[in-house]
Amino acid sequence: MKPKILLIYTGGTIGMIKDPETGALRSFDFTKLLYHIPELKHLDCEIETTSFEEPIDSSDMDLNHWRVLGDIINAKYDDYHGFVVLHGSDTMSHTGSALSFMFENLTKPVILTGSQLPIGDLRTDAKENLITSIQLASEWENNAPIIKEVCIYFEYQLYRANRTAKMNAEHFEAFSSPNYPPLAISGVHLNIDQGLLWKGGFDDIALAKSYIDQPHPLKMMYRPEMDSRVVVLKLFPGITEAVVKAICTVKDLKGIILETYGSGNAPTSPWFIAVLREALLSGIKIVNVTQCRGGAVDMGKYETSVALKKIGMVSGFDITTEAALSKMMYLLAYMPESGDFKKYFETSLRGEISV
Ligand code: ASP
């Protein structure tokens, strides 16, 4: 039996051409993408394709697009052994993180990929990225897919999607996963490190049991709701009380990802702590995430984070801002009134934090 893979084209450079008039890159008809890669016919799997009605540059991605993409995967879940999503690299880490929370107990691979150069370009990185992504999605063992999580494959490395960030707009190696090693490396051989793959989360099942009517907790569950009433507040030296207050009092705001310094440190000015305390008391959830790409928040390590811990801020540990945002949107949508937000945010639901 050959694995059946669904290739979903959402847009991005991989399928773009240069507009002859303006010289700007824009998306083109998906069928032409396959025309550029006849090699796909030689892969040991069956490939079927589908596409967004209007392919987009991933900078236009929003929650509706996440929903469309999630709905496609969910609707076709039983018909395919794996899914490869072609996506612009700009917001690929965001979409990958969001999908990882939307699909609980995944039993199949969902691999996002794209490229820095269009598929028609002589020096393109698109072919290797696409072909290897399909091969990885087709890897089977004991009648089951080896990879059962949402990943990003780019430039010879397979990453857990919710651990990644786009780090480079120039190099082919556009992504990095500073706090979790690559799940697979493509060299002469495709080396999957099975010890690093996600095996499922018991706390996630507990989450399902306690908050949602969920008769078969081990079945794949599609939870597409996301609450977008969130914001990222990045600290910088000189940030004013007026700015912090304005953000913390946005109408209907439900959550703030506070990007702090180093291991979770922030100014000790009384006004700063007072504004945050007030926001917390009004029911807004605030998560402390570090601006550093590598390493983790450790509230209480320095005096400059003691107050944050005392007022009850949630720790993001070593989560990326990208994953923190969609995890917050997901938890707010499924447990809006719950006092357990902190408990679940500080739990690894999809392998997104090291705890
Ligand atoms: N701007 C493009 C996008 O994210 C870049 C890329 O495809 O890599 O859609």
Side-chain angles (χ1 to χ4, degrees):
M1 181 205 65
K2 282 188 177 186
K4 261 178 93 179
I5 305 298
L6 183 64
L7 193 56
I8 307 166
Y9 179 54
T10 68
T13 300
I14 193 162
M16 287 185 180
I17 45 164
K18 252 195 189 141
D19 187 302
E21 274 168 29
T22 63
L25 287 172
R26 62 169 168 75
S27 300
F28 76 106
D29 182 1
F30 181 59
T31 49
K32 300 214 173 86
L33 179 76
L34 293 176
Y35 164 84
H36 284 287
I37 327 174
E39 294 91 334
L40 289 180
K41 291 191 206 102
H42 304 300
L43 291 175
D44 202 18
C45 58
E46 271 180 53
I47 303 168
E48 285 174 14
T49 59
T50 185
S51 167
F52 270 17
E53 254 169 55
E54 277 185 34
I56 54 165
D57 185 298
S58 77
S59 305
D60 275 327
M61 268 288 158
D62 59 24
L63 268 59
N64 294 327
H65 295 109
W66 286 353
R67 181 69 182 250
V68 171
L69 181 54
D71 284 355
I72 294 175
I73 298 172
N74 184 47
K76 309 270 182 185
Y77 194 75
D78 293 332
D79 304 337
Y80 294 90
H81 299 104
F83 299 85
V84 173
V85 179
L86 299 179
H87 192 290
S89 59
D90 288 349
T91 62
M92 194 185 287
S93 294
H94 285 275
T95 302
S97 298
L99 288 175
S100 79
F101 295 110
M102 285 156 78
F103 287 93
E104 185 182 326
N105 299 320
L106 258 191
T107 54
K108 303 179 179 191
V110 176
I111 300 181
L112 286 86
T113 193
S115 65
Q116 294 281 57
L117 284 176
I119 199 107
D121 193 292
L122 265 185
R123 294 178 51 250
T124 190
D125 51 331
K127 285 192 185 184
E128 199 284 324
N129 284 348
L130 176 54
I131 289 169
T132 307
S133 294
I134 295 173
Q135 283 184 322
L136 284 163
S138 313
E139 291 282 333
W140 270 57
E141 199 177 72
N142 305 327
N143 267 332
I146 293 181
I147 298 162
K148 302 179 185 94
E149 57 181 299
V150 183
C151 303
I152 286 180
Y153 179 78
F154 225 88
E155 193 62 6
Y156 304 111
Q157 318 235 37
L158 182 77
Y159 307 104
R160 176 167 301 149
N162 58 32
R163 289 296 197 148
T164 62
K166 183 171 179 181
M167 305 293 268
N168 206 302
E170 166 69 19
H171 296 161
F172 286 143
E173 200 177 336
F175 290 89
S176 128
S177 167
N179 289 326
Y180 201 74
L183 306 175
I185 296 187
S186 164
V188 173
H189 298 103
L190 263 185
N191 275 320
I192 302 177
D193 189 333
Q194 297 213 26
L196 293 171
L197 296 177
W198 181 240
K199 313 274 183 330
F202 299 103
D203 290 299
D204 195 16
I205 293 164
L207 168 78
K209 269 191 183 154
S210 37
Y211 292 99
I212 300 139
D213 181 25
Q214 158 59 297
H216 304 290
L218 280 174
K219 225 177 141 249
M220 189 284 282
M221 289 296 296
Y222 177 47
R223 301 195 199 289
E225 303 301 332
M226 292 269 164
D227 191 329
S228 64
R229 293 170 294 175
V230 300
V231 71
V232 177
L233 173 54
K234 182 171 184 151
L235 294 183
F236 56 90
I239 194 167
T240 61
E241 182 173 357
V243 165
V244 178
K245 232 184 203 163
I247 289 180
C248 290
T249 51
V250 166
K251 194 168 171 283
D252 287 337
L253 190 72
K254 295 287 174 222
I256 301 173
I257 305 295
L258 184 69
E259 272 203 3
T260 57
Y261 307 124
S263 52
N265 306 314
T268 47
S269 325
W271 68 259
F272 180 74
I273 303 300
V275 173
L276 293 184
R277 187 190 290 117
E278 217 159 286
L280 285 166
L281 286 174
S282 75
I284 293 174
K285 317 287 183 205
I286 310 182
V287 176
N288 186 347
V289 170
T290 173
Q291 293 178 14
C292 296
R293 278 308 184 176
V297 163
D298 183 0
M299 283 191 286
K301 181 174 176 191
Y302 289 89
E303 222 168 76
T304 42
S305 64
V306 168
L308 301 183
K309 191 174 184 178
K310 265 197 196 145
I311 60 174
M313 194 159 302
V314 177
S315 176
F317 297 106
D318 62 350
I319 199 166
T320 61
T321 298
E322 290 84 341
L325 260 173
S326 51
K327 184 172 186 177
M328 179 176 260
M329 290 175 176
Y330 169 74
L331 289 178
L332 286 174
Y334 285 99
M335 49 171 74
E337 308 304 334
S338 168
D340 279 346
F341 178 89
K342 181 173 164 68
K343 177 176 150 198
Y344 283 105
F345 203 98
E346 294 181 352
T347 300
S348 174
L349 300 179
R350 306 285 189 274
E352 72 285 359
I353 47 173
S354 318
V355 284

